[in-house]
Amino acid sequence: AQRVTQPEKLLSVFKGAPVELKCNYSYSGSPELFWYVQYSRQRLQLLLRHISRESIKGFTADLNKGETSFHLKKPFAQEEDSAMYYCALKIKSGGSNYKLTFGKGTLLTVNP
Amino acid sequence: KAGVTQTPRYLIKTRGQQVTLSCSPISGHRSVSWYQQTPGQGLQFLFEYFSETQRNKGNFPGRFSGRQFSNSRSEMNVSTLELGDSALYLCASSLTGSNEQFFGPGTRLTVL
């Protein structure tokens, strides 16, 4: 079954500490993965996607096909990083159609 | 460009009633997806419309339905409301459906 698992519902770190939000996926096809973020009282928005291999707001994520993981990392967390983070997998739903499957999210709190 | 808009923002209904939610996508976006967001289940995909056709469907009962108009605006309808339908309903638009999705603020539905 196609599935995205975020094992931690809550993650709390101190400012300046490294942070890693875990994401594992199950998919028989070629995976395309994303991280979406929802800050307090703001809309859900795209943070980064693995095909871009970019760093956004200091966050990076590497697709590890061997471990079927797409963990989100930042070396030095900031208080403004506190938010709900969702990992998402684009899956083929038939023909040339695709849809996004989201994990249940991890609430990151960065303490001062 | 104006972002995705959803109306109404808040709704209170009683069991057995029906409800219609509306979503206006970003100008030029032809794909509209709907998600149900709850604390326990996170984001769950409901369906996607593209050019007035339902292209993808999630695992929700037939009480959940939707449609898309020629101007790409979309509505979703939930009939015979149940307490468990209480959730934040998010709409997202994208150019084609398979690239970045832009989310609206959501409609908070409470079923009493």
Side-chain angles (χ1 to χ4, degrees):
Chain A
Q2 297 123 347
R3 185 169 54 240
V4 176
T5 303
Q6 293 179 251
E8 302 140 328
K9 289 185 75 171
L10 303 169
L11 184 60
S12 183
V13 300
F14 285 102
K15 177 182 171 182
V19 63
E20 179 180 69
L21 292 94
K22 291 184 168 51
C23 172
N24 290 90
Y25 67 91
S26 172
Y27 184 50
S28 55
S30 182
E32 188 171 343
L33 288 131
F34 307 80
W35 277 98
Y36 278 79
V37 61
Q38 189 168 28
Y39 300 102
S40 179
R41 288 185 290 278
Q42 292 189 31
R43 303 178 184 207
L44 191 62
Q45 57 186 288
L46 178 67
L47 180 62
L48 54 79
R49 67 193 89 188
H50 91 269
I51 56 172
S52 302
R53 302 183 69 82
E54 58 201 343
S55 173
I56 302 292
K57 299 185 178 183
F59 283 99
T60 58
D62 289 318
L63 177 61
N64 186 324
K65 291 186 179 180
E67 295 183 358
T68 59
S69 69
F70 186 56
H71 302 328
L72 183 68
K73 300 177 185 178
K74 185 169 182 176
F76 307 104
Q78 302 299 314
E79 288 179 69
E80 55 264 31
D81 295 329
S82 296
M84 182 69 110
Y85 291 81
Y86 291 95
C87 181
L89 169 69
K90 190 170 97 173
I91 62 174
K92 200 162 187 178
S93 56
S96 59
N97 297 335
Y98 293 85
K99 64 181 181 182
L100 280 182
T101 294
F102 286 83
K104 293 189 177 182
T106 298
L107 180 62
L108 173 66
T109 302
V110 181
N111 300 298
Chain B
K1 274 185 179 176
V4 177
T5 58
Q6 292 186 245
T7 57
R9 293 294 310 279
Y10 301 92
L11 209 46
I12 298 176
K13 292 284 186 179
T14 56
R15 277 181 299 170
Q17 287 187 306
Q18 75 163 17
V19 67
T20 299
L21 313 181
S22 181
C23 171
S24 291
I26 291 173
S27 177
H29 286 190
R30 296 167 64 190
S31 167
V32 174
S33 297
W34 288 90
Y35 297 87
Q36 182 193 67
Q37 187 178 31
T38 58
Q41 298 299 316
L43 276 158
Q44 293 188 280
F45 174 79
L46 280 154
F47 29 65
E48 183 216 358
Y49 286 86
F50 183 84
S51 293
E52 301 179 66
T53 301
Q54 188 181 85
R55 193 163 68 168
N56 282 296
K57 192 176 188 309
N59 299 322
F60 278 79
R63 300 185 296 107
F64 292 81
S65 63
R67 59 178 176 168
Q68 187 180 33
F69 302 94
S70 58
N71 62 357
S72 293
R73 190 177 70 85
S74 177
E75 288 182 347
M76 70 162 277
N77 185 77
V78 188
S79 62
T80 321
L81 284 165
E82 300 176 0
L83 295 178
D85 297 333
S86 293
L88 182 67
Y89 289 88
L90 293 173
C91 159
S93 77
S94 65
L95 281 169
T96 63
S98 61
N99 52 6
E100 180 180 357
Q101 297 203 352
F102 294 83
F103 284 82
T107 294
R108 171 76 61 187
L109 172 65
T110 302
V111 182
L112 302 176

